[in-house]
Each structure stands twice: as structure tokens, then as C-alpha cells.
Amino acid sequence: MKMAENVHTLASIELPAVLESLPEFSARITQCAREAGFGEHKLGAMELAVEEAIVNIIKYSSSAPDSVITATCGTDSRGVFYIAIIDSGPPFDPLKRDTPDTKASIDDRPVGGLGIYFIKEMTDGVTYAREAEKNILTIKMRR
Amino acid sequence: MEITKRKEKDVAIVAVSGRIDAITAPDFEKSLDELITAGERAILIDLTALGYISSAGLRSILSSAKKLKALSGEILFTGLQGPVEEVFQISGFKSIFKIFPSEAEALGSM
């Protein structure tokens, strides 16, 4: 799998595409990032981004019931950290969602739509690619 | 996630600790719904001991706040801190909800 050029993969986790897999994905990615030298604040941001990405796939991607999600983490030669969340569902680019109006009142605000916005706001970049019939969401984090 | 409920004056105080994520958010929303169904119209949520909240948690809060607002009630917050405060900031929840530095100040505003 291609995350970015020269990314050294530190861990790869494959689990069923169900909500119950979330704690293990979170724990394993957090451990990977901690070992790569990240502090608590960035670890919290990454945990949130990973949850939002995975929940998004489970909720909106109509993939087969026995499908899996793969999460990988790694660093490049400059020490930039990458998390890739990969699924085999139909093509689905979550980054195309509209940015929510965060100033709307309680009555006017739609319930939901914040997950992808959180990923964009709390990380140092997120990209979507469709490769080999897989959706690949790559989150970038600098130290 | 652990939820502790008590009543002070006419305000239902809900202290939530641990994590409100996609797995626990439905239980949190159910807890708020039970209070609304029981007739509570002012709910103060104490986030002092909450370590993590995701968009699923905010979805539960907004959904309950909408129900309560339709009944002329409201949800208030206290104990905003750390990563939870950051999520409230980014989502805009910090400006659309009433947030108090302490429980006493929240109760005093009622």
C-alpha cells in the first residue's frame, strides 16, 4: 500500500468493519504514535481522527457484512507520521462533505456532519485516494 | 463512561466521566432522554471528569438539546477542560451552549 513516498510502516491492524473494533484500533494506533514520540495532546487528536474515520466507514460505506478495515501507521524520513485507514467498500470520498456551519443555533444545526470536520481541523492534513478498489484515507501528523 | 445524576433546586445535574465515543454515546443520549421524559427541563452536564468526546457524543448532546428546546428547556454545561473543551471549541458548541465555570454559577443563573 502506498501512503506517501518513503513511509516506513510501523504497524498494520486489520479488524472487522464493526463498531466493536473501535477500541482496539484506537489503542493500537495510539501505541504506535506514542512509540513514535508523540505527546498526550497530539495522541488525543489522533485518537479522535481515527474514531471519526472508522465510524464514517462503518456508517456510510455500504460494504459487505464480513468486510474489514485496515489501519496502518508509519513515519517518513523527515519524521512525519501517517495513519492510513483503508476499506474495500464502494468508492467513497468523505472529504467531499460540506463543512458544517459551526455558528448555527441549536435549532438550525443539523445533527451530525462533524466527524470529517474534526479530522481536518485536528490533524496536519488528510487526503483521500481510491487505489486497487480500496478507499484510502491518509492522515498526516507532524510532531 | 459513568453517569451520576442528582437534583439541585430545579436542575438535574448529570456528571459524566470517562469517554463519550461512538460506542457509549447512545447510552449517554438515553440517559438524557430519560431525564427529559421524567419532566426535567433544565439539565446541567458536568464534564469535569470527561476525558474524551467524539462527534458521536456531540450528536447525542445536540439531539437532546433540540428535544429539550422544543419543550422550552435547556442543557447547560460546566467543567469544560482539556481535549473536551477543544472539541467544544472546534465544533462551535462553546458558543451555542451556555457554559459556566462552576456548578454554583450555573445554578445561580437559573
Side-chain angles (χ1 to χ4, degrees):
Chain A
M1 191 225 40
K2 194 174 141 193
M3 282 208 278
E5 296 308 321
N6 307 316
V7 171
H8 171 61
T9 302
L10 299 166
S12 180
I13 307 120
E14 186 178 283
L15 293 168
V18 294
L19 218 47
E20 288 71 24
S21 298
L22 197 55
E24 191 170 345
F25 274 124
S26 287
R28 299 276 299 277
I29 296 292
T30 300
Q31 184 193 354
C32 184
R34 184 175 279 127
E35 284 168 8
F38 284 94
E40 290 307 317
H41 182 256
K42 293 255 178 177
L43 290 176
M46 280 187 261
E47 184 177 6
L48 184 67
V50 167
E51 171 178 333
E52 302 298 357
I54 287 171
V55 167
N56 206 65
I57 293 169
I58 295 167
K59 274 170 83 171
Y60 300 111
S61 161
S62 50
S63 46
D66 59 346
S67 60
V68 296
I69 295 172
T70 305
T72 70
C73 54
T75 49
D76 69 11
S77 54
R78 293 162 303 155
V80 178
F81 191 75
Y82 295 90
I83 301 165
I85 312 284
I86 305 149
D87 73 273
S88 309
F92 178 69
D93 180 357
L95 305 180
K96 284 192 173 148
R97 280 197 77 150
D98 291 341
T99 300
D101 178 3
T102 57
K103 295 197 171 63
S105 70
I106 291 171
D107 288 330
D108 297 335
R109 259 189 103 136
V111 172
L114 280 170
I116 297 303
Y117 180 66
F118 282 163
I119 301 177
K120 289 178 181 169
E121 290 293 308
M122 302 198 72
T123 66
D124 294 312
V126 54
T127 55
Y128 168 81
R130 178 79 181 172
E131 284 174 23
E133 302 198 347
K134 290 178 193 299
N135 297 305
I136 305 171
L137 195 72
T138 305
I139 294 163
K140 189 163 96 177
M141 222 51 195
R142 294 182 202 282
R143 248 170 286 248
Chain B
M1 179 188 69
E2 268 191 58
I3 299 166
T4 316
K5 299 176 190 173
R6 64 191 172 88
K7 186 109 186 233
E8 194 85 37
K9 293 200 272 181
D10 289 327
V11 183
I13 302 172
V14 180
V16 56
S17 64
R19 305 163 56 86
I20 306 180
D21 57 19
I23 292 174
T24 59
D27 287 339
F28 183 63
E29 187 171 343
K30 192 163 158 258
S31 226
L32 295 178
D33 280 350
E34 282 167 5
L35 288 172
I36 298 169
T37 305
E40 300 296 347
R41 292 297 174 260
I43 299 176
L44 173 62
I45 302 178
D46 183 351
L47 302 171
T48 307
L50 190 69
Y52 178 93
I53 189 166
S54 67
S55 72
L58 297 191
R59 169 189 283 263
S60 295
I61 289 169
L62 187 61
S63 173
S64 298
K66 281 175 184 280
K67 285 176 209 156
L68 209 44
K69 198 153 183 253
L71 298 163
S72 306
E74 64 179 336
I75 290 181
L76 317 168
F77 292 92
T78 187
L80 212 56
Q81 43 71 41
V84 175
E85 180 163 20
E86 195 176 354
V87 165
F88 265 62
Q89 177 73 47
I90 293 171
S91 62
F93 272 39
K94 221 174 159 174
S95 50
I96 64 172
F97 284 101
K98 286 185 192 163
I99 294 164
F100 297 89
S102 70
E103 184 186 303
E105 282 167 88
L107 294 173
S109 80
M110 305 299 292

